[in-house]
């Protein structure tokens, strides 16, 4: 492991014990042991920071085990993406938890809805003119056109729920209509919706009925793009209040301000200053963040949040820790703002300083400083100070935020997983890729990288994920010539070429332009980053790769599907 940097130096200090009194020796060796255990932990955290991370889903219970059982120091972590709140919500078809009024949603368009609309039209409008006249007067805004499209979509995309159709508009030539709608994959657990607009060629049958004869691909109906919610008159078409559309289409992750000074003074804050979690892996980071946010919720305080994330080397192409990553690249800040009381650290410090400057000593903001995680949240419950400031200046691992939530506190503090959703910007890329594959693809997850090289712990993995073995195994599970999405940490693009003799292979890098310098993602993240372009880093890659995999129809996992080796090494399953 080449990154034996500053973090591991603590292990070199612990070998120097001197003969003192028995008790003292005992004490010291106990201490040494725990230091050792923790340095192993730290080392393990670093050890997994080894290039391409595995796109492996890890649930929050698994994370809980991971960190709570760390005393054993035998665990091995996958550098994976964490499952976030939208994955953990109880039922896909119900909105998770209290939603703001703006998200209260129209029901999905189903066959029953279409039939009802048909009845209504039959009763209210005159029948179509004679067959010859039908052909000349394909009128996209005729509600029957929309119904034909809706019916077509329901049959063509069984895994999608459709919402909020807009009145069709003319396509590029006569006989075509462009239609826009919102949708959600039924497998998706999030309540979020995405937009699609497609071009349909419509013919009129002898019975003078509209029929879709051809449907364009993902986002082909450019005339129906935008401009959707504005008017859309007509029967059977849902007109939405504009706020809903803003929420769905635009991402509002501006940093909220506290407003007036008295707003600041009347608030109650919980402020965690930067601790040992900084520059750790994303899982560690979020495990800690959610502890702090959980404590703030328990104390009924506003959590002071540092949006600037330092991501450990694992995820960075540069293979160095990188500071200054924005929380909003990875997670949905808009959602967080809605469900939790938070204030951005910079705003908070500015207002605090301003207050103290303009007020004499006695009226300065009351602050309670807490210097060790051993002071429990329960002890702070009665504290009336405006600011409770937890400082994490002790040496590692005493300076991890998540230690606040250990022991007795774990009974009182709930990590608010529901507050953490994946970034909509990343999910837009996921949706775009799945959409281009028409939501009709199978997926295989191929773990290689470090594990494939480690023959001791994973004796068969390398062979079982070799192109020949893969092809043989997949033949039994995936029909020939299906679209096959391969989620993998194998860096060599052509590694899977052999599969192309049987499948239409798709890899994340086939979609580079979705985060390239002409993409929406690029524009938007650049804007967040004060005009500097943002790198599409390893964590983002794994997040997108994993989520696309998850949307495949047949999903083939590496462990237990492709190989008998255990996920966590030999004899762990
Ligand atoms: C720690 O390791 C011991 C022996 O290896 C095992 O019996 C025990 O269950 C482990 N504890 C945890 C919390 O994993
Ligand atoms: C198209 O249909 C809509 C709705 O039925 C109607 O209001 C409109 O006048 C029609 N346009 C033409 C050119 O027939
Ligand atoms: C749509 O096309 C039809 C003929 O194909 C035309 O009569 C109608 O005016 C067009 N509508 C709009 C809004 O351009
Ligand atoms: C909507 O379309 C009209 C013309 O059809 C155009 O003038 C207007 O600028 C569009 N609005 C937006 C927000 O794109
Ligand atoms: C974005 O959200 C903030 C609240 O967090 C709100 O004050 C602001 O008006 C919103 N901006 C837009 C353009 O909706
Ligand atoms: C939380 O504090 C606010 C005022 O700061 C108060 O109105 C509210 O009732 C408190 N809620 C709980 C559950 O204590
Ligand atoms: C985008 O990237 C390509 C190649 O990476 C480069 O040639 C091009 O100049 C870039 N365009 C902009 C606008 O930065
Ligand atoms: C990105 O921004 C550039 C310059 O502002 C603009 O020309 C381009 O159309 C934008 N691209 C997308 C996909 O929004
Ligand atoms: C992969 O393995 C799991 C568990 O053994 C099994 O349920 C699933 O059906 C397998 N997938 C395929 C595609 O065979």
């Amino acid at each position: 492991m080449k990154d034996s940097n500053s973090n591991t130096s603590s292990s070199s200090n612990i070998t120097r014990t001197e003969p003192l009194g028995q008790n003292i020796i005992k004490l010291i060796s106990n201490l040494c042991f725990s230091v050792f255990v923790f340095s192993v932990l730290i080392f393990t955290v670093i050890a997994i920071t080894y290039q391409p991370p595995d796109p492996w889903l890890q649930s929050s219970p698994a994370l809980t085990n991971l960190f709570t059982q760390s005393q054993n120091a035998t665990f091995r972590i996958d550098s994976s993406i964490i499952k976030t709140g939208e994955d953990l919500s109880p039922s896909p078809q119900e909105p998770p938890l209290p939603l703001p009024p703006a998200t209260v949603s129209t029901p999905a368009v189903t066959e029953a809805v279409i039939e009802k609309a048909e009845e209504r039209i039959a009763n209210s409008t005159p029948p179509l003119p004679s067959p010859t006249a039908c052909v000349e007067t394909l009128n996209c805004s005729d509600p029957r056109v929309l119904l034909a499209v809706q019916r077509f979509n329901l049959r063509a995309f069984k895994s999608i729920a459709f919402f909020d159709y807009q009145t069709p508009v003319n396509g590029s030539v006569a006989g075509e209509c462009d239609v826009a709608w919102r949708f959600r994959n039924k497998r998706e657990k999030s309540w979020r919706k995405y937009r699609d607009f497609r071009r349909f060629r419509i013919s009129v049958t002898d019975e003078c009925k509209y029929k879709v004869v051809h449907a364009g691909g993902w986002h082909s109906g450019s005339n129906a793009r935008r401009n959707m919610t504005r008017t859309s008159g007509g029967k059977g078409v849902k007109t939405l209040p504009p706020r809903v559309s803003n929420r769905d289409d635009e991402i509002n992750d501006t940093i909220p301000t506290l407003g007036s000074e008295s707003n600041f003074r009347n608030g109650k804050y919980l402020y965690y200053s930067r601790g040992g979690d900084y520059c750790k892996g994303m899982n560690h980071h979020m495990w800690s963040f959610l502890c702090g946010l959980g404590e703030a919720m328990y104390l009924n305080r506003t959590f002071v949040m540092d949006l600037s994330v330092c991501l450990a080397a694992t995820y960075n192409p540069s293979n160095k820790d990188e500071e200054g990553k924005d929380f909003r690249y990875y997670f949905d800040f808009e959602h967080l703002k809605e469900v939790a009381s938070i204030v951005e650290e910079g705003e908070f410090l500015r207002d605090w300083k301003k207050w103290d400057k303009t007020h004499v000593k006695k009226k300065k903001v009351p602050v309670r400083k807490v210097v060790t995680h051993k002071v429990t949240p329960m002890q702070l419950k009665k504290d009336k100070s405006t600011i409770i400031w937890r400082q994490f200046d002790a040496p590692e691992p005493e300076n991890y935020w998540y230690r606040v939530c250990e022991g007795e506190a774990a009974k009182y503090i709930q990590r608010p997983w529901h507050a953490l959703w994946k970034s909509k910007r990343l999910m837009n890329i996921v949706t775009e890729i799945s959409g281009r594959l028409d939501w009709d693809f199978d997926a295989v997850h191929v773990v290689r990288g470090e594990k494939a090289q480690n023959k001791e712990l994973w004796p068969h993995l390398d062979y079982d994920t070799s192109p020949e073995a893969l092809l043989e195994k997949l033949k039994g599970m995936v029909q020939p010539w299906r679209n096959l999405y391969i989620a993998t940490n194998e860096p060599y693009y052509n590694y899977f070429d052999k599969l192309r003799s049987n499948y239409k292979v798709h890899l994340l890098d086939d979609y580079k332009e979705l985060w390239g310098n002409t993409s929406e993602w690029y524009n938007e993240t650049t804007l967040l980053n004060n005009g500097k372009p943002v790198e599409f880093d390893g964590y983002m890659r794994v997040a997108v790769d994993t989520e696309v995999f998850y949307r495949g129809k047949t999903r083939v996992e590496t462990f237990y599907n492709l190989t008998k080796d255990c996920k966590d090494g030999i004899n762990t399953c």
Side-chain angles (χ1 to χ4, degrees):
M1 217 86 349
K2 44 183 179 240
D3 9 60
S4 50
N5 54 23
S6 58
N7 286 337
T8 40
S9 62
S10 56
S11 54
S12 60
N13 302 333
I14 61 174
T15 43
R16 274 178 266 115
T17 42
E18 290 178 19
L20 300 166
Q22 281 289 340
N23 284 342
I24 297 182
I25 290 179
K26 213 168 168 184
L27 193 110
I28 290 177
S29 61
N30 277 346
L31 193 82
C32 284
F33 180 68
S34 46
V35 169
F36 168 71
V37 163
F38 279 112
S39 53
V40 171
L41 174 121
I42 293 157
F43 182 74
T44 316
V45 169
I46 294 165
I48 56 121
T49 60
Y50 180 86
Q51 30 152 338
D54 296 337
W56 186 276
L57 297 156
Q58 192 151 35
S59 63
S60 64
L63 270 179
T64 313
N65 291 344
L66 183 78
F67 286 104
T68 50
Q69 296 177 356
S70 58
Q71 280 80 354
N72 247 7
T74 53
F75 69 92
R76 239 169 259 113
I77 328 176
D78 285 279
S79 349
S80 54
I81 64 158
I82 42 180
K83 278 201 172 180
T84 48
E86 71 267 39
D87 303 324
L88 305 167
S89 67
S91 151
Q93 300 310 325
E94 309 257 332
L97 295 142
L99 281 165
T103 58
V104 173
S105 177
T106 47
V109 174
T110 58
E111 194 70 36
V113 171
I114 295 173
E115 275 165 21
K116 223 182 228 165
E118 262 172 353
E119 255 169 53
R120 218 170 31 230
I121 293 166
N123 293 341
S124 65
T125 49
L128 285 176
S130 70
T132 42
C134 296
V135 181
E136 291 163 36
T137 59
L138 168 66
N139 173 358
C140 290
S141 39
D142 187 321
R144 276 167 289 207
V145 170
L146 181 59
L147 291 176
V149 166
Q150 289 176 339
R151 188 159 266 148
F152 175 88
N153 277 347
L154 276 187
R155 304 218 165 124
F157 306 107
K158 296 223 185 310
S159 59
I160 304 285
F162 294 92
F163 305 86
D164 309 337
Y165 276 99
Q166 302 301 305
T167 304
V169 298
N170 279 355
S172 61
V173 297
E176 285 180 348
C177 301
D178 287 3
V179 190
W181 60 82
R182 293 175 212 290
F183 68 90
R184 185 175 56 229
N185 190 321
K186 287 177 185 161
R187 190 173 287 140
E188 200 111 0
K189 293 193 174 158
S190 158
W191 198 237
R192 259 185 205 159
K193 287 180 278 187
Y194 298 89
R195 224 158 28 106
D196 195 5
F197 33 90
R198 294 185 186 230
R199 180 157 294 169
F200 294 86
R201 201 171 313 129
I202 313 253
S203 74
V204 187
T205 64
D206 291 343
E207 300 93 61
C208 235
K209 283 191 172 146
Y210 291 117
K211 194 174 152 214
V212 173
V213 291
H214 178 262
W218 171 255
H219 283 195
S220 53
S222 47
N223 291 352
R225 179 179 213 136
R226 307 275 160 207
N227 246 343
M228 297 199 309
T229 50
R230 198 60 51 85
T231 46
S232 74
K235 302 116 205 167
V237 179
K238 300 226 156 57
T239 312
L240 293 170
R243 246 192 100 191
V244 179
S245 96
N246 281 348
R247 202 194 131 71
D248 279 349
D249 298 343
E250 285 151 32
I251 301 170
N252 178 2
D253 49 16
T254 52
I255 293 170
T257 53
L258 285 168
S260 72
E261 264 189 32
S262 61
N263 278 356
F264 172 74
R265 183 61 181 82
N266 291 334
K268 290 261 188 293
Y269 305 94
L270 177 65
Y271 178 32
Y272 275 41
S273 45
R274 210 169 261 182
D277 317 274
Y278 197 64
C279 297
K280 292 291 189 295
M282 191 64 92
N283 292 349
H284 181 147
H285 198 71
M286 286 306 114
W287 186 245
S288 283
F289 167 70
L290 289 175
C291 169
L293 189 61
E295 187 187 23
M297 287 175 164
Y298 170 77
L299 295 175
N300 200 4
R301 284 170 175 269
T302 298
F303 189 65
V304 180
M305 179 175 174
D306 182 1
L307 283 174
S308 174
V309 172
C310 172
L311 199 57
T314 356
Y315 294 112
N316 298 316
S318 66
N319 219 14
K320 293 198 181 77
D321 290 354
E322 280 185 23
E323 303 190 81
K325 304 247 182 189
D326 197 302
F327 178 89
R328 294 171 289 182
Y329 302 162
Y330 309 99
F331 300 103
D332 185 338
F333 188 57
E334 181 171 18
H335 173 69
L336 182 65
K337 283 192 290 188
E338 280 168 356
V339 299
S341 173
I342 48 142
V343 57
E344 191 269 327
E345 187 183 30
E347 289 284 324
F348 166 79
L349 293 177
R350 193 171 325 130
D351 283 2
W352 183 5
K353 206 179 264 171
K354 205 157 71 189
W355 178 277
D356 275 358
K357 210 181 247 168
T358 52
H359 293 78
V360 285
K361 198 156 180 93
K362 255 186 250 157
K363 290 177 75 183
K364 282 201 193 308
V365 177
V367 181
R368 160 90 182 265
K369 287 186 186 168
V370 182
V371 296
T372 161
H373 66 80
K374 295 196 177 78
V375 176
T376 65
M378 295 75 83
Q379 288 167 310
L380 296 174
K381 186 129 178 93
K382 293 262 154 57
D383 201 295
K384 293 275 185 293
S385 315
T386 299
I387 298 167
I388 293 181
W389 182 0
R390 279 198 184 269
Q391 298 170 330
F392 295 85
D393 297 331
E396 290 198 44
E398 294 298 304
N399 62 353
Y400 292 156
W401 288 8
Y402 69 74
R403 306 215 61 192
V404 170
C405 296
E406 285 179 349
E408 191 68 7
K411 297 198 189 107
Y412 296 87
I413 309 263
Q414 308 254 299
R415 281 189 174 76
W417 286 100
H418 68 272
L420 198 64
W421 284 9
K422 291 178 200 77
S423 156
K424 191 164 184 184
R425 293 190 183 89
L426 290 179
M427 294 308 289
N428 280 338
I429 295 178
V430 172
T431 307
E432 180 79 28
I433 295 174
S434 316
R436 287 190 192 180
L437 296 172
D438 264 339
W439 305 91
D440 187 21
F441 62 99
D442 298 325
V444 58
H445 177 204
V446 182
V447 175
R448 291 187 48 80
E450 184 197 12
K451 286 186 176 176
Q453 284 159 30
N454 187 335
K455 293 279 196 303
E456 249 165 65
L457 290 170
W458 294 276
H460 309 106
L461 181 62
D462 188 26
Y463 173 76
D464 287 340
T465 57
S466 67
E468 297 76 24
L470 262 177
L471 187 56
E472 275 316 303
K473 280 266 170 52
L474 286 175
K475 275 181 181 168
M477 299 189 255
V478 179
Q479 300 288 313
W481 295 115
R482 289 274 297 158
N483 282 317
L484 180 69
Y485 185 86
I486 305 179
T488 185
N489 60 343
E490 168 60 48
Y492 180 48
Y493 178 84
N494 292 107
Y495 186 80
F496 299 99
D497 278 357
K498 210 170 169 88
L499 299 180
R500 295 183 196 272
S501 62
N502 276 53
Y503 300 106
K504 290 182 222 154
V505 170
H506 303 266
L507 291 157
L508 184 58
D509 275 336
D510 295 332
Y511 301 92
K512 267 186 180 137
E513 81 275 9
L514 296 180
W515 59 87
N517 63 8
T518 54
S519 68
E520 215 168 293
W521 181 88
Y522 180 91
N523 274 11
E524 289 177 359
T525 50
T526 303
L527 211 61
L528 280 185
N529 198 29
N530 299 321
K532 287 195 293 289
V534 173
E535 179 182 50
F536 193 75
D537 64 32
Y539 191 83
M540 299 168 186
R541 286 186 69 92
V542 177
V544 171
D545 219 20
T546 310
E547 292 294 321
V548 175
F549 168 77
Y550 207 54
R551 283 155 183 72
K553 284 187 170 160
T554 299
R555 280 167 288 168
V556 179
E557 271 297 359
T558 297
F559 298 102
Y560 320 125
N561 284 137
L562 294 177
T563 180
K564 291 202 167 62
D565 283 356
C566 302
K567 181 175 171 247
D568 295 320
I570 204 153
N571 294 335
T572 59
C573 55

